Amino acid sequence: MSLSYSELEKWWADYKEEQASWGGILIEPYPELLTTWYAERLIDNSIPASKENILAAKRHMMDLDRQGTEEFPWVFDEEAGHRPIRFIEENCRPTEGDFDRFVLQPWQHFIIGSMFGWVHKDTGVRRFREALTFVGRKNGKTSLISGLSAYMLGYDHEQGANVYVLANAKDQASILFDKTKEMVKQSPRLDKKYKPQRSVIKDEATFSKMEARASDSKKLDGLNTHFAIFDEIHEFINFKLINVIKKSRGTRRQPLITYITTAGYVLDGPLMQYYDNALDCLEHLEDGLDERVFYFIAKLDDVAEADDPRNWIKANPNIGLMSFVDLVTDWKTERNSPQERADWITKQFNLFSDIDELSFLDMQTINKNNKEINWETMKDQECVAGYDLSETEDFTSADLEFPIYETGEIAVLEHSWISQERYNNDNNKQRLDAWIKSGDLTVTPGPYVDYDYVFDWFVEQSKRFKILKVRFDRRNSLILNQKMIDYGFVMEEAIQGFTTLGGPMKDLKERFLDGKVIYNKQKIFRWYLSNVKLVQDRNNNWMPTKQSKNRKIDGFAALLNSHVSVVEMFANESKQTANVGFISIREMMKGG
């Protein structure tokens, strides 16, 4: 969209007028619930949306078709879904921006209507116990949090409703709490019903209260959660506070936990797990996953869409109420700075990224490599192995790498190990448990990884595949290396330096960029990939390093070791294929 400032202003005014004419942008509160209407507009592309939100719309329509059946006992109650929307529009006032009242937009009808409208056909209990709302910054998250909190405190027909606004740090949680307090004071009806105090808002009629909590709060016990709303869980590095809240809802009839966040830079925290769960659910609707979790994933589908502001609504569904012209002019200036561009991509366009311009792979590239392979079809195929051993309590990883000459692809079979002590001290046991359950991680007894488990894995794999050689980092490998030699493996050191690893690392990146790495979407391996950062020598040779001490790259290090040989195998295969001789016509005649 290369328009001058004046042209852009005119285009934006015309666009808003056209959108308002048919309901894409609402000027007045709409008297009916628009959840299903919005789903239909996403499906027919009247409203641009991410592929995930189009799937969320299809999920809603699919559920409408099967509602109230024996297999699917939930029904969509439009009155129940519309009630909190009417409450917010009639009783709450914005505490930020140039607005004197709330007019909830169609995308908010979809989210709130879904969370509150789907109920059990017999009991009326809400279907959804959790909800993830994933949107770009400045989409009215704070106001939505405050409005829903005020509703759940005293208007959800619940006695003793405990409502918590939650954040990673106490200061942020307090900001959210104070915004709700301001909202209450601005509403004659709410100010009369509720009693705002310094650290609590009470509804004495229902014996309910609202408080702020954070990961760094000193007191997290004794909670009894009816409604909890987490802000910006991309900042959370573990599940500590989330687990406390989940465990505190046991006595509640229909508790609700919702997470409202943008993308972020913590790629191994709770948000990534919820995001992965969302993709798994929405991309496999026929499997009926996460029946009681609602997902709204607003994002660009590809970073290339950033240069056309008409796509921005995909990540910013509230864009009709934003200062769009200023956003466009800011983007045109700031996109030329690598760090500012990375911040825009992550926060405004809601794509997982890393602000470090030397990051090895972004999430879009990693996810592009989504092909899967049946390992039984690779039986007896040639491969190169690699391993990276832990110092003491850290991750140990090993891989088999199969070159596929016909397509230029590589197939990677990876496994990891940690010690029981390392498992016991980990802040993200849920993540580890998922990897253990999928068969990709083994916990060995004691305080350090027993390398006999690694040896046994290689022996077992050698019975299925033809392991040509094993490439290894000499560090920590003396005992295992000798045991592998005694068994009969061909061992070859992969020298850990810029000269040896730089070329293979660049080759790996090219194959990832081309979508030619098959790893069966293994989550632990994807985690390793997302943690890799580059360091360069003065000759621009590459070496991998970790983003931080808690973000491990052992699985990638094992692959890089094996790839030192696999690059050579591809080069040799290319030479053999190209080794075509020249025969003159005279020689052909002689042969005849």
Side-chain angles (χ1 to χ4, degrees), residues 343-556:
D343 185 62
W344 270 81
I345 288 171
T346 303
K347 295 300 180 185
Q348 201 69 62
F349 304 140
N350 231 19
L351 293 171
F352 288 103
S353 177
D354 199 293
I355 202 164
D356 191 335
E357 56 188 305
L358 288 179
S359 290
F360 181 55
L361 299 171
D362 59 25
M363 288 303 297
Q364 289 70 51
T365 300
I366 294 171
N367 290 335
K368 183 192 299 183
N369 296 266
N370 56 9
K371 190 172 177 181
E372 297 191 50
I373 194 168
N374 182 347
W375 290 115
E376 290 305 311
T377 65
M378 302 297 287
K379 191 172 182 181
D380 297 326
Q381 294 294 308
E382 293 183 347
C383 62
V384 176
Y387 66 71
D388 183 77
L389 304 182
S390 57
E391 294 281 351
T392 50
E393 79 282 358
D394 254 341
F395 286 71
T396 284
S397 294
D399 84 298
L400 302 181
E401 182 180 356
F402 299 79
I404 305 174
Y405 299 114
E406 296 83 0
T407 61
E409 295 172 307
I410 59 172
V412 182
L413 177 62
E414 190 270 344
H415 195 84
S416 295
W417 296 261
I418 56 170
S419 69
Q420 184 65 53
E421 184 171 310
R422 172 69 173 76
Y423 174 87
N424 293 342
N425 294 330
D426 196 277
N427 288 326
N428 265 346
K429 288 190 178 67
Q430 287 171 288
R431 180 188 63 190
L432 299 181
D433 290 340
W435 295 339
I436 293 166
K437 185 177 180 181
S438 64
D440 300 320
L441 178 66
T442 297
V443 179
T444 71
Y448 58 86
V449 173
D450 184 344
Y451 295 152
D452 282 346
Y453 283 82
V454 183
F455 172 76
D456 291 342
W457 185 81
F458 275 121
V459 170
E460 193 62 32
Q461 301 311 315
S462 70
K463 297 174 184 176
R464 304 168 62 199
F465 311 110
K466 187 177 180 181
I467 301 177
L468 300 178
K469 66 175 71 171
V470 181
R471 299 300 298 257
F472 64 95
D473 173 4
R474 182 169 52 187
R475 180 176 48 98
N476 303 324
S477 66
L478 181 62
I479 296 175
L480 176 59
N481 192 40
Q482 188 59 52
K483 193 168 183 178
M484 298 278 282
I485 292 172
D486 292 343
Y487 186 81
F489 287 106
V490 177
M491 308 297 293
E492 185 174 346
E493 181 183 359
I495 298 172
Q496 303 297 294
F498 287 99
T499 304
T500 304
L501 299 181
M505 194 164 182
K506 289 183 179 180
D507 183 85
L508 265 179
K509 180 159 188 174
E510 289 171 2
R511 294 184 196 275
F512 273 108
L513 288 169
D514 291 337
K516 290 188 173 182
V517 180
I518 305 169
Y519 63 95
N520 285 9
K521 297 191 286 189
Q522 186 187 41
K523 291 183 178 180
I524 188 172
F525 187 67
R526 186 172 65 178
W527 178 64
Y528 288 135
L529 294 175
S530 71
N531 294 340
V532 179
K533 186 173 75 172
L534 304 181
V535 290
Q536 293 177 297
D537 67 6
R538 61 186 178 182
N539 296 316
N540 291 324
N541 291 314
W542 291 357
M543 275 281 287
T545 187
K546 295 181 288 190
Q547 300 276 9
S548 68
K549 70 175 185 177
N550 292 320
R551 295 172 61 179
K552 309 303 178 185
I553 64 170
D554 305 79
F556 176 78

